Amino acid sequence: MTDIMRRALKATVILVFLLFPAASVHSQDEATDNTFQDVVLKMTLEEVDSIKTVTVAAHTLENGEEVPVSGETVSVFVPRMFSNLTIGELTLDDAGTASIEFPSDLPGGKEGNLTIVAAFIDNSLFGNVEKRETVHWGIPTDYLPSSHRALWTHKAPTWMIYTLSVLLAGVWGHYLFAIISLIRIKIDAVRKARKDYRV
Amino acid sequence: MEKNENSKSSRRNFLRNVGIGVGAVSVTGVAGANLLSRNEASTKSGKMVKLLSPDGSLVEVDQSDIKPAKEIQSEVKSAAKSGLPNRKFAMVVDLSKCANARACVDACQEGHLLPKDHEWMKIYMLQDDNLTAKYWFPRPCFHCDKPMCVSVCPVGATYKRPDGIVLVDNQRCIGCKFCMTGCPYSARVFNWKDPEVEVPEGHVYDPETNIPPVEGTVGKCVFCADKLRNGELPRCVSACPMGVLYFGDLLEDTVTNGVETVRFSKLMTDRAGYRYKEELGTLPCVYYLPPSNREFPVETGLDGVDESISGRYRNVGPR
Amino acid sequence: MMETDKKLIADLTPEIETTSIKWYITFFVLLAVFVVGIYGLIQQIDKGHIVTGMRDNVVWGFYIVNFIFFMGLSYSGALISGVLHLFHTSWRKPIIRMAELITVISLIIGPFFIFFCIGRLDRLHFLFIHPRIQSPITWDVIAILTDLFGCFIYLYLSFIEDFAILRDYPYLNVAPWKKKLYRILSLGFTGTEKQRKILANARTVMAAMIIAIAIIVYSVLAWIFGVTLQPGWHSTIFGPYFVIAAVFSGTGLLIILMWIFRRVYHLEEYITKRHFVNVGVLLTIIAAFYGYFTFSDYLTKWYGSIKMDSILIDRLFTDYYSMFIFANYVGILLPGIIIAFPKFRSIPSITVAAMIALTALWVNRYIIVIPTLETPFLPIQDIRPDWISYSPTWVEWSLTLAGVSVFVMLFMLISKIAPIISISEMQEEDKTEILH
């Protein structure tokens, strides 16, 4: 390999390394910041007896063994347009699990899908860890404002258009009659003048 | 020696390559993001053109991204007219927390380059009856679902869009002020003289911000439609230090004041939310929570307020 | 060739032939008032509407009051020419020309006051290229244009015969351009049976139209206020109420003009006390209707306990007390008393009654428009006095006076071209006697 090619390869490799930053915002199951402990956060969504339940479980790996995390707070929320709607703040029990009932009357998008997130938020041990899932647990809200006709819409109510047209046609029709009368007077006067002249 | 020199120069070259690479990537990324701010990416022609950007830096841009200014204005206007899809915005005002801090008024005036006597968000002190309590009453535009102001506009300068927001197009408004007499909540202001506002260079008029105010036309609260496009709360909502103003999408049944997020339906049920003068039938999109369980007397709202403003409330009493 | 009574022509044409010094002086005084008004308008366009007294709550002031007032004056034509024409009343003949002229001139001046009130005059054409038919202002634009056009046609129809008479009268001592004007505008009318029939038909049709249009136009104007939610305006009675008030003001102005022209052009033979009494009786009847509507409107507001209505009535009886009494009591009762009792009737007294009625109606428009805007649902909380209550500035006063002066000036100018009393109408009476 020539010197130039070697240099080019080095530059490309480094560029590639810079262009795909390792700082991904959320890792699915692992801690991102190296000063925090790694933790595995699981979330299960199940509907038992038509009651929607969110169960979270967290454990750390120590020497290959799963150690449940207890006493820490996990937030369960639904991300909304401006902020997150908290469903509950769960405290993990000794087994490292907690569950909460999910409301069944929460509106979802057009298809009724909701994104549910369970997360450690600014946790002293683990930092920010989240588990995110989309589920068909919302009420479909297909909001299509009807393109109806009203006083405040672009299109006017049809009765208004008809009434206005009829009134205007009626009135200006009479004006037309008057103008035609004037024309008829003029024609008659011209005709008579010609007749007088000939006589 | 030769090796050292070689390694020095190769290091220099390497650094130079990296710098150019990173610079080119970031610059094209930024430039591309700016031009594609409102519309989705158009097909790239591949032909790159060098331009001088408004802040003085040299950018290289795909030719298909360049649009003449006229097109951009009309695209801005049509985007302002169609609004955000599948949204129905509403505001909730918690009267039990309002203490006339006026941060909402200041933030609104700052954000929309308004002169000091134009208050799109106005704070009233109301007393319904001489046996009932006085309370502070912030009043933005209610963005009614049956807007009287829109019905009476003869030229269609004000319109209601599908996401619920009522806007004013200051390039269409003829200044007849019929909308001002139509609005029962006195929510609109008129530009009686030249507002003498400095407009940023290259500014394209956008009804969503309604900057700058135009002499002889009408202005009003726009629910900061420009901020909503970026998923940010309106300026008044973010500015309120007491968390009085909640804002959200009714289709999501969620409102937030920047600190706490609650379900709208729960807020209404728990706190007995209502709309001002419901019987007028204009169906406002601003809901009020009654001023109950206040932790401070209403007069604290007059502390530290300039005389020109506190003088307004001298004659407050039942009407 | 049109035959004409020499005496009629001799009496009714001097104003066309010669212009007195008095005319010139009056005209130039009025022109000066007009120029001051124009100066005020320039100030307004230059500095913005801040030079007026209008502010964010009282957004409609003098200009809208004048607009409604002048539009209302146009009713004299609808009533006297239109209604009385259809009823073939003979005593109306000397005054129909004046009534029709009042109609057309006030319809021309009225809309200008709207223009003064509009913030962006450079966008006025938007009313025509971007109209929204759900808006009462669009209805108003259409209605006023229709009314203006119709009244022009009607006025012209009544002028044709007179222009023909003036064209054919050999001893008319006027400038050649006037003669040419008469020739063109008379359309060659020679008074044949056929021509008269066509003309009479057209006039009857237009008379009926004018009445219908006048009612629609003024109702539409009333609905600009009536359809809003504002206390005091949201009244179901506004349509008919405004129509009656308009007829009232138009009739009052007619009496005043009758008196002026009778005096200035020495028409004592043609406009007699009988005419004053007849129009005066009309005025009294209409005053009764107007009083009835006003009382009905305010009684229902006062009796019910609706808060905003009570606040408005309070305001009217405190801050606007003198104006309210003048407009709704003095303005109705005084003319009524003067004319109802034969003892009090005389040409000067009836004219004074008409002047009181006319002023009272202007004040009535004022207390309909402004107090409502000063008592909105959310109270005006401000410390600046000009934002709390409305006080008109010199700009608004000067433009109001300019409007009045233009009205009189236009009348003066037209009286130089066409006779103020319709010669053909006066002749018809004699002709029908001869034919029978």
Side-chain angles (χ1 to χ4, degrees):
Chain A
M1 251 202 267
T2 62
D3 201 12
I4 295 166
M5 280 175 68
R6 209 181 299 127
R7 268 189 249 140
L9 186 63
K10 237 199 217 171
T12 318
V13 164
I14 292 170
L15 265 176
V16 163
F17 184 69
L18 285 172
L19 285 175
F20 292 95
S24 58
V25 177
H26 306 293
S27 79
Q28 288 303 321
D29 295 282
E30 298 190 346
T32 57
D33 201 312
N34 288 327
T35 60
F36 290 121
Q37 262 186 309
D38 283 344
V39 68
V40 174
L41 181 62
K42 287 202 206 98
M43 176 173 74
T44 22
L45 308 167
E46 38 183 23
E47 197 164 334
V48 178
D49 297 331
S50 71
I51 296 176
K52 301 178 170 70
T53 325
V54 179
T55 314
V56 295
H59 65 91
T60 50
L61 282 170
E62 276 174 32
N63 306 324
E65 260 185 49
E66 288 187 6
V67 177
V69 176
S70 63
E72 298 295 328
T73 316
V74 175
S75 297
V76 176
F77 57 85
V78 174
R80 290 309 210 183
M81 184 177 178
F82 303 105
S83 58
N84 301 324
L85 180 65
T86 307
I87 306 295
E89 300 271 337
L90 309 177
T91 311
L92 298 170
D93 59 14
D94 295 324
T97 60
S99 65
I100 189 170
E101 187 185 325
F102 191 84
S104 53
D105 60 347
L106 207 58
K110 262 199 227 163
E111 286 95 43
N113 291 331
L114 285 173
T115 306
I116 305 179
V117 179
F120 285 112
I121 297 179
D122 283 334
N123 189 284
S124 48
L125 295 173
F126 312 120
N128 290 312
V129 184
E130 71 167 47
K131 180 82 168 75
R132 186 179 275 254
E133 204 171 309
T134 308
V135 72
H136 188 68
W137 271 8
I139 300 176
T141 49
D142 195 7
Y143 172 64
L144 209 75
S146 51
S147 59
H148 63 299
R149 293 167 175 272
L151 285 172
W152 56 89
T153 51
H154 184 65
K155 290 192 241 173
T158 36
W159 75 265
M160 283 182 131
I161 301 176
Y162 292 153
T163 312
L164 194 68
S165 311
V166 165
L167 281 174
L168 281 178
V171 170
W172 286 84
H174 284 87
Y175 290 175
L176 199 63
F177 169 75
I179 292 175
I180 290 174
S181 301
L182 289 172
I183 296 172
R184 285 174 64 202
I185 290 176
K186 179 77 184 175
I187 291 173
D188 182 80
V190 165
R191 226 178 266 149
K192 189 165 180 303
R194 256 189 235 137
K195 203 169 70 172
D196 285 346
Y197 180 67
R198 255 182 256 126
V199 166
Chain B
M1 272 302 140
E2 219 185 70
K3 213 179 173 188
N4 271 349
E5 277 173 30
N6 272 346
S7 55
K8 258 199 219 152
S9 64
S10 72
R11 220 182 302 135
R12 222 179 288 137
N13 285 342
F14 153 66
L15 286 171
R16 193 185 61 205
N17 290 341
V18 166
I20 289 173
V22 168
V25 162
S26 60
V27 154
T28 26
V30 163
N34 276 342
L35 280 171
L36 300 173
S37 58
R38 216 170 280 281
N39 300 295
E40 294 313 310
S42 46
T43 49
K44 302 271 180 213
S45 69
K47 189 156 170 243
M48 302 301 280
V49 175
K50 281 209 181 71
L51 297 174
L52 193 65
S53 76
D55 57 343
S57 54
L58 195 67
V59 298
E60 213 175 50
V61 160
D62 189 283
Q63 188 163 49
S64 61
D65 285 335
I66 303 174
K67 295 186 179 90
K70 184 174 167 223
E71 274 183 31
I72 295 182
Q73 166 79 91
S74 62
E75 278 174 17
V76 160
K77 284 247 193 123
S78 74
K81 219 169 189 154
S82 46
L84 299 169
N86 289 315
R87 298 279 180 205
K88 180 106 182 50
F89 294 112
M91 188 184 273
V92 180
V93 182
D94 191 351
L95 296 177
S96 67
K97 294 194 218 153
C98 183
N100 195 33
R102 296 184 64 86
C104 52
V105 180
D106 297 332
C108 174
Q109 288 180 326
E110 229 181 270
H112 297 274
L113 305 182
L114 296 177
K116 273 295 154 195
D117 63 343
H118 278 199
E119 290 180 357
W120 289 0
M121 165 71 93
K122 205 166 182 142
I123 317 274
Y124 291 87
M125 193 208 275
L126 296 181
Q127 185 182 23
D128 299 335
D129 175 63
N130 53 11
L131 294 181
T132 61
K134 295 187 183 161
Y135 56 97
W136 296 105
F137 188 82
R139 185 234 67 215
C141 165
F142 287 167
H143 296 272
C144 305
D145 282 341
K146 283 193 181 176
M148 186 59 129
C149 55
V150 173
S151 302
V152 297
C153 179
V155 292
T158 181
Y159 49 86
K160 183 161 178 81
R161 35 189 243 184
D163 62 4
I165 297 185
V166 176
L167 290 180
V168 180
D169 180 355
N170 274 353
Q171 292 181 339
R172 177 74 75 86
C173 178
I174 62 172
C176 69
K177 294 164 260 164
F178 200 179
C179 58
M180 294 179 73
T181 61
C183 176
Y185 314 111
S186 319
R188 289 168 171 252
V189 299
F190 191 73
N191 292 286
W192 298 101
K193 56 180 193 259
D194 189 359
E196 275 156 16
V197 153
E198 260 194 60
V199 182
E201 204 45 69
H203 172 81
V204 167
Y205 174 71
D206 183 4
E208 288 192 348
T209 51
N210 226 16
I211 292 174
V214 176
E215 182 187 342
T217 61
V218 170
K220 70 170 192 72
C221 155
V222 291
F223 265 3
C224 286
D226 58 324
K227 288 222 144 190
L228 299 181
R229 258 182 210 280
N230 298 332
E232 290 168 8
L233 289 169
R235 294 168 174 90
C236 51
V237 178
S238 316
C240 179
M242 315 290 290
V244 170
L245 304 170
Y246 293 76
F247 193 85
D249 177 6
L250 286 183
L251 296 178
E252 289 182 342
D253 193 31
T254 306
V255 289
T256 178
N257 63 0
V259 171
E260 60 166 316
T261 307
V262 288
R263 282 191 70 174
F264 174 81
S265 47
K266 191 167 187 301
L267 199 60
M268 288 294 119
T269 332
D270 290 351
R271 301 281 311 275
Y274 67 96
R275 291 191 287 201
Y276 180 69
K277 293 236 182 284
E278 181 76 52
E279 66 272 14
L280 291 179
T282 54
L283 307 182
C285 286
V286 173
Y287 293 76
Y288 285 91
L289 305 178
S292 58
N293 296 327
R294 278 181 294 179
E295 293 175 0
F296 47 86
V298 74
E299 285 78 15
T300 52
L302 294 169
D303 296 340
V305 172
D306 189 55
E307 170 63 31
S308 64
I309 293 168
S310 63
R312 294 180 189 178
Y313 310 114
R314 236 177 280 134
N315 297 324
V316 170
R319 308 184 71 209
Chain C
M1 181 72 179
M2 300 287 289
E3 293 166 28
T4 333
D5 185 334
K6 284 214 171 71
K7 185 173 183 308
L8 265 178
I9 291 237
D11 287 334
L12 299 179
T13 53
E15 72 223 46
I16 302 177
E17 293 175 325
T18 56
T19 312
S20 65
I21 296 288
K22 258 198 257 176
W23 191 97
Y24 279 112
I25 294 175
T26 321
F27 192 81
F28 281 108
V29 166
L30 291 172
L31 198 63
V33 173
F34 175 66
V35 166
V36 171
I38 294 293
Y39 174 66
L41 182 63
I42 293 173
Q43 288 291 300
Q44 188 181 288
I45 294 175
D46 181 40
K47 299 204 178 96
H49 283 219
I50 196 77
V51 301
T52 67
M54 301 186 283
R55 299 289 183 265
D56 269 352
N57 275 287
V58 185
V59 295
W60 286 346
F62 258 33
Y63 297 145
I64 296 289
V65 173
N66 288 332
F67 167 63
I68 311 171
F69 183 69
F70 276 94
M71 298 302 294
L73 294 179
S74 74
Y75 265 62
S76 65
L79 180 69
I80 306 290
S81 302
V83 171
L84 297 183
H85 174 99
L86 291 177
F87 283 122
H88 298 294
T89 37
S90 59
W91 59 263
R92 71 184 173 95
K93 287 193 201 282
I95 52 179
I96 47 174
R97 174 70 45 79
M98 267 182 257
E100 288 156 21
L101 281 173
I102 293 175
T103 304
V104 172
I105 293 175
S106 53
L107 276 176
I108 295 173
I109 295 180
F112 275 97
F113 282 103
I114 289 277
F115 299 161
F116 300 156
C117 200
I118 285 194
R120 296 292 307 226
L121 273 176
D122 56 324
R123 295 180 187 171
L124 205 60
H125 56 287
F126 283 2
L127 285 169
F128 299 100
I129 57 179
H130 296 300
R132 274 185 85 248
I133 68 163
Q134 298 107 313
S135 168
I137 283 189
T138 310
W139 308 341
D140 206 31
V141 168
I142 296 173
I144 291 178
L145 284 175
T146 308
D147 195 15
L148 197 57
F149 197 74
C151 289
F152 256 123
I153 293 179
Y154 190 56
L155 187 69
Y156 180 53
L157 283 173
S158 76
F159 268 148
I160 289 179
E161 270 196 81
D162 270 19
F163 284 149
I165 291 173
L166 291 170
R167 173 198 65 202
D168 292 336
Y169 187 62
Y171 308 111
L172 199 65
N173 189 11
V174 289
W177 67 267
K178 271 193 196 165
K179 286 216 163 176
K180 190 169 177 196
L181 192 68
Y182 297 145
R183 195 170 58 240
I184 297 172
L185 290 179
S186 58
L187 292 182
F189 188 82
T190 44
T192 62
E193 188 72 35
K194 183 172 176 199
Q195 287 171 4
R196 281 190 193 278
K197 208 164 140 218
I198 297 174
L199 192 62
N201 261 348
R203 284 184 77 179
T204 310
V205 162
M206 285 310 292
M209 270 295 111
I210 292 288
I211 299 168
I213 298 214
I215 293 178
I216 294 177
V217 168
Y218 223 64
S219 300
V220 161
L221 217 145
W223 291 335
I224 288 180
F225 300 96
V227 299
T228 64
L229 297 166
Q230 301 292 349
W233 285 0
H234 193 62
S235 168
T236 56
I237 215 180
F238 257 35
Y241 182 28
F242 270 48
V243 170
I244 292 290
V247 181
F248 192 22
S249 60
T251 318
L253 184 64
L254 183 62
I255 294 177
I256 296 173
L257 282 173
M258 276 161 60
W259 187 85
I260 292 177
F261 282 111
R262 181 175 178 270
R263 199 61 187 277
V264 170
Y265 291 132
H266 306 293
L267 300 167
E268 287 86 353
E269 233 183 271
Y270 299 95
I271 306 178
T272 62
K273 181 172 173 186
R274 181 167 158 248
H275 297 105
F276 276 89
V277 171
N278 284 345
V279 184
V281 166
L282 263 178
L283 188 76
T284 315
I285 296 172
I286 297 163
F289 272 108
Y290 167 72
Y292 163 62
F293 271 93
T294 309
F295 183 70
S296 174
D297 193 34
Y298 285 115
L299 177 75
T300 43
K301 283 191 175 82
W302 171 82
Y303 199 98
S305 54
I306 306 254
K307 199 172 210 178
M308 292 312 298
D309 286 343
S310 307
I311 293 173
L312 182 69
I313 300 267
D314 264 347
R315 194 80 193 249
L316 286 173
F317 277 104
T318 52
D319 296 333
Y320 290 94
Y321 188 60
S322 44
M323 288 176 92
F324 185 81
I325 296 294
F326 176 63
N328 297 325
Y329 285 86
V330 172
I332 300 169
L333 294 173
L334 215 52
I337 293 173
I338 291 175
I339 295 167
F341 295 100
K343 208 167 43 168
F344 297 137
R345 291 181 203 163
S346 72
I347 293 182
S349 69
I350 294 178
T351 312
V352 165
M355 287 200 283
I356 293 173
L358 198 65
T359 340
L361 274 152
W362 191 94
V363 174
N364 165 273
R365 304 297 202 277
Y366 187 92
I367 62 175
I368 285 178
V369 174
I370 279 115
T372 294
L373 292 173
E374 285 182 351
T375 53
F377 285 101
L378 279 169
I380 303 179
Q381 290 183 336
D382 209 306
I383 55 165
R384 299 165 289 186
D386 52 333
W387 288 70
I388 300 175
S389 64
Y390 174 72
S391 56
T393 60
W394 74 268
V395 172
E396 290 161 294
W397 277 113
S398 67
L399 279 168
T400 307
L401 292 173
V404 174
S405 74
V406 167
F407 186 88
V408 182
M409 282 198 290
L410 283 174
F411 245 104
M412 291 173 76
L413 287 169
I414 292 189
S415 70
K416 289 287 141 206
I417 298 176
I420 278 294
I421 294 183
S422 174
I423 301 174
S424 52
E425 291 277 346
M426 297 307 292
Q427 267 186 188
E428 233 174 71
E429 236 172 56
D430 304 332
K431 265 223 174 74
T432 49
E433 281 174 23
I434 293 171
L435 280 172
H436 292 113

